[in-house]
Amino acid sequence: RHQKNWELYVAVMRGSTGADDHATESEDPPEKLSGEDVCRLMRKHKKTIKQLSFMLGITCKRIRQVRDSGLDDPLAVRDWLEKITGEDPGPIPSSYRINHHTEEASCNYCGCPLYVGDTAFEYVGDAFCSRSCCRKSRGWV
């Protein structure tokens, strides 16, 4: 029995099981976006540098810099994706610290217990032990 539990734990931590059971139609915005991805998305959605500059309220020079180097900030990535695609990519999982025993919970994906002092991630009312588990629970892998 313990061997099977261990195998299941290892499989879940590697992300190889359960993703299909909890999949939804939404997708998580990536935390980083390369310059090539920005260019590809702009071509796909027929957005010019000038249009994007107007929508984001930034200079054309900054748009060209991002097309060369990409974006590292998850909030900026979310804003850029929304302006390029015209669709809201959804909320970003937020982290919080468990400060009281009444806040203790289990990860809604892998079942890892979350105790006082642990950092948890909240997304649409569910608690997760990591951003990875949040993504996998929604089928965002």
Side-chain angles (χ1 to χ4, degrees), residues 30 33-47 67 81 84:
L33 200 60
S34 70
E36 294 84 22
D37 290 338
V38 172
C39 293
R40 182 182 48 77
L41 283 169
M42 287 177 67
R43 277 192 298 274
K44 179 180 177 184
H45 294 279
K46 298 180 176 135
K47 299 288 183 192
R67 287 170 55 106
L81 287 175
I84 293 172

Side-chain angles (χ1 to χ4, degrees), residues 14-15 19 28 109 132 134-141:
R14 288 186 182 149
D28 180 30
Y109 180 70
S132 177
C134 181
R135 284 190 191 97
K136 291 173 185 176
S137 75
R138 306 291 187 218
W140 297 332
V141 182

Side-chain angles (χ1 to χ4, degrees), residues 68-128:
D68 289 338
S69 61
L71 293 166
D72 292 340
D73 180 29
L75 297 174
V77 168
R78 185 187 182 285
D79 290 342
W80 277 67
L81 287 175
E82 183 176 5
K83 297 303 181 192
I84 293 172
T85 64
E87 297 175 5
D88 184 8
I92 296 175
S94 59
S95 66
Y96 66 95
R97 185 173 201 99
I98 298 174
N99 294 321
H100 195 264
H101 69 84
T102 58
E103 298 173 345
E104 293 179 344
S106 303
C107 176
N108 284 355
Y109 180 70
C110 70
C112 176
L114 302 167
Y115 299 115
V116 173
D118 290 343
T119 300
F121 293 87
E122 189 269 333
Y123 184 79
V124 193
D126 292 334
F128 298 94

